[in-house]
Amino acid sequence: MDVSAVLEAPAKPDNGARPGGTGLFRAFWRWHFYASFLVIPVLLILAATGLIYLFRFQIEPVLHADVMKVDQPAGLVAQPYETQLDEVRQAFPDATVVSMTEPSAPDRSTVFSVDTAAGPRDVFVDPYEGKVLGSLNPDTTLSGAAILLHGELMAGRWGDYVIEIAACWAIVMALTGYYLFIRGRVARARRRAAGAAGAVLRSRHGRTGAVLGLGLLFLIVSGLPWTGVWGAKTQELATHQGTSFWGEDPGALSNPTSTLDESLPHSHSVPWGLGKTEVPRSNPADGKRSVATVDTAIEVGQRNGLRRPMTIALPADDEGVFSAIGYAFNDPGKERTLHVDRYGGRVVSTYGYSDYPALAKVVAQGIALHEGRRLGTLNLWLTTIFCLGVIFMCVTGPLMWWRRRPKNKSLGAPRGRLPLRATPALAVLVTALAIVLPLFGLTLAAVLLLDQLLLRRVPRLRTWFNTAN
């Protein structure tokens, strides 16, 4: 890959570049081409798993109707949640129940998340008869697997790195794509008018990319706070500036033992801004005459205006608290959590969106848009169309290359160099991207070294990669 040629003289302009100009068209086409090798496979996975995640509430009840759906008997009211909890503990005597989520509709079951020796389970209970219907491993359901693929490619930290690298290069691909779309519009129109092979597909690819590009950039930026390098380092910088991606509950200062997202590791129910909130403690010696229950936590949450269906994180020990999380799926502004003392049922602390730092509010809103839930049905369908558009781009890009691939079995990469010496603004942009996106900078440096130390020195590789002299 002739990426190291960014410091060389400009190549001969072609296909939209002005005579005697900088040759940016072919140079950008070359970068767009090579970036796609890394970006397309990852984007295809993210778009497909994103579609599954978007429709998880429609898909999973169909796939697992035997445990997720119930019939509401006439005249029968739901059993107390504490009774349902007892049934779960009897069915899983060696497991630890970590949370309970209320039924989302009259025909849905109550969900208890438990930790067992074999791993996490979601246990489903008929709220009317109070019996356990069955259990599922939340990470092996279709939507659970999609979440793991979407977040880390099921490869842990290394998968997270791959996604972050692909996201960084997707920015390069989007920016170069816009340049190609604008500068190549005359050539594309001429090819369409002449009936050239592949001209219609190239035009559709360009127009779709022009529409999706800004959305892609938004999704990349809104997804970066999840990443292990950019997200972690940016959070560290934000902390030094007195702000944070996360909210920090001031009522969680009494000997905390874990954070809220650690106490609910598999539920995906913790609002983003509260995910790192430290959990406060109860005092076993204080008010032990009255012991609160799950139903107490629901009652306290309802009395304090939490939206339903609520998720209740159960206390892990005698000093633990009930953490009541209000429903705020469509509106992060409604995110609110109450920590309820298990002795006497008093509210130990309340923390919500209004208490977040300004940066955490922005991130929470961005993530809601990213997940297709901020604007209700409109957001859902726009994100669906976007994912389908990304899949179209991931298919048509390789197809265009396959149709125009050379017969000499070379890679068929566009031939061009980025003339950074002649365009200082472009040099500043590339340098800024490398600094702001560390993994982009590292991979760019690796490509430069590979090009200088290997590709340019082996004639066959130089020919196959179509490297300019």
Side-chain angles (χ1 to χ4, degrees):
M1 297 187 297
D2 186 25
V3 183
S4 65
V6 294
L7 300 178
E8 302 293 337
K12 181 179 178 180
D14 191 15
N15 200 6
R18 299 185 307 274
T22 60
L24 283 177
F25 188 92
R26 277 193 172 270
F28 277 23
W29 187 10
R30 186 175 178 86
W31 276 55
H32 191 80
F33 176 84
Y34 279 120
S36 68
F37 278 84
L38 173 62
V39 173
I40 283 178
V42 176
L43 274 187
L44 189 58
I45 292 173
L46 295 182
T49 55
L51 276 175
I52 295 173
Y53 186 72
L54 280 172
F55 291 95
R56 63 196 181 280
F57 297 122
Q58 291 77 27
I59 295 173
E60 294 300 340
V62 173
L63 297 178
H64 306 288
D66 55 328
V67 295
M68 292 187 173
K69 290 188 175 181
V70 298
D71 294 324
Q72 183 180 12
L76 194 62
V77 297
Q79 298 290 315
Y81 290 120
E82 193 68 20
T83 301
Q84 299 179 47
L85 175 60
D86 289 339
E87 291 293 324
V88 172
R89 285 172 171 160
Q90 289 181 28
F92 295 84
D94 298 324
T96 300
V97 185
V98 296
S99 71
M100 183 276 297
T101 299
E102 294 186 283
S104 58
D107 64 342
R108 296 298 173 85
S109 52
T110 310
V111 184
F112 291 84
S113 294
V114 305
D115 278 338
T116 70
R121 306 292 295 181
D122 279 347
V123 182
F124 300 89
V125 178
D126 186 325
Y128 306 105
E129 297 185 5
K131 67 178 182 179
V132 174
L133 300 174
S135 68
L136 297 169
N137 183 336
D139 292 336
T140 59
T141 61
L142 180 61
S143 59
I147 290 170
L148 292 177
L149 271 172
H150 198 85
E152 55 186 34
L153 302 178
M154 289 188 177
R157 179 181 298 179
W158 290 104
D160 178 78
Y161 292 160
V162 170
I163 289 178
E164 185 170 350
I165 291 171
C168 295
W169 282 95
I171 294 175
V172 174
M173 197 166 71
L175 295 177
T176 54
Y178 271 118
Y179 183 90
L180 298 178
F181 176 75
I182 295 171
R183 289 297 306 275
R185 63 188 184 280
V186 175
R188 287 195 304 275
R190 187 165 56 243
R191 286 176 59 83
R192 286 198 311 272
V200 174
L201 182 63
R202 178 174 292 187
S203 291
R204 289 175 179 172
H205 180 89
R207 289 170 181 170
T208 304
V211 174
L212 297 181
L214 292 177
L216 179 62
L217 291 172
F218 168 77
L219 287 182
I220 291 170
V221 172
S222 62
L224 282 175
W226 271 301
T227 57
V229 176
W230 190 93
K233 292 300 181 184
T234 308
Q235 166 64 6
E236 184 178 329
L237 291 173
T239 301
H240 289 323
Q241 298 299 318
T243 185
S244 175
F245 284 165
W246 307 89
E248 297 179 3
D249 192 335
L253 303 177
S254 53
N255 190 25
T257 59
S258 67
T259 60
L260 195 57
D261 62 339
E262 290 170 349
S263 65
L264 288 172
H266 308 290
S267 70
H268 311 292
S269 297
V270 179
W272 169 267
L274 288 165
K276 296 301 183 185
T277 294
E278 294 177 332
V279 180
R281 313 291 285 163
S282 293
N283 183 1
D286 181 20
K288 207 168 184 177
R289 295 180 302 276
S290 174
V291 179
T293 66
V294 178
D295 297 280
T296 307
I298 292 288
E299 174 63 27
V300 171
Q302 188 173 9
R303 195 163 56 233
N304 284 272
L306 290 190
R307 301 173 72 197
R308 305 180 77 170
M310 297 181 215
T311 293
I312 306 296
L314 275 63
D317 52 35
D318 289 343
E319 295 182 349
V321 296
F322 291 98
S323 295
I325 304 169
Y327 181 80
F329 183 78
N330 292 332
D331 185 2
K334 301 288 199 265
E335 289 176 1
R336 194 157 164 257
T337 294
L338 271 65
H339 299 299
V340 181
D341 191 336
R342 66 177 304 177
Y343 306 110
R346 67 186 179 87
V347 177
V348 178
S349 67
T350 302
Y351 197 73
Y353 182 86
S354 60
D355 303 304
Y356 293 179
L359 182 58
K361 290 181 178 179
V362 173
V363 171
Q365 295 289 348
I367 288 173
L369 286 169
H370 182 104
E371 294 184 345
R373 55 186 173 85
R374 178 61 183 92
L375 304 176
T377 304
L378 175 63
N379 200 173
L380 174 70
W381 288 110
L382 286 177
T383 308
T384 299
I385 294 171
F386 176 85
C387 289
L388 293 173
V390 169
I391 293 173
F392 172 81
M393 296 291 290
C394 290
V395 172
T396 56
L399 183 58
M400 288 189 300
W401 165 77
W402 182 259
R403 287 181 173 180
R404 70 170 184 80
R405 72 192 189 284
K407 295 181 180 180
N408 62 2
K409 297 183 179 181
S410 68
L411 185 59
R415 189 180 181 89
R417 300 174 177 176
L418 273 183
L420 297 190
R421 291 177 180 175
T423 50
L426 185 59
V428 170
L429 175 61
V430 173
T431 304
L433 281 175
I435 294 173
V436 174
L437 304 170
L439 289 189
F440 168 71
L442 289 174
T443 51
L444 176 62
V447 169
L448 294 175
L449 289 174
L450 178 66
D451 181 74
Q452 288 291 340
L453 300 179
L454 181 62
L455 302 186
R456 286 178 169 275
R457 301 189 180 197
V458 180
R460 287 188 178 180
L461 290 177
R462 187 169 62 246
T463 301
W464 196 76
F465 282 102
N466 200 21
T467 302
N469 294 326

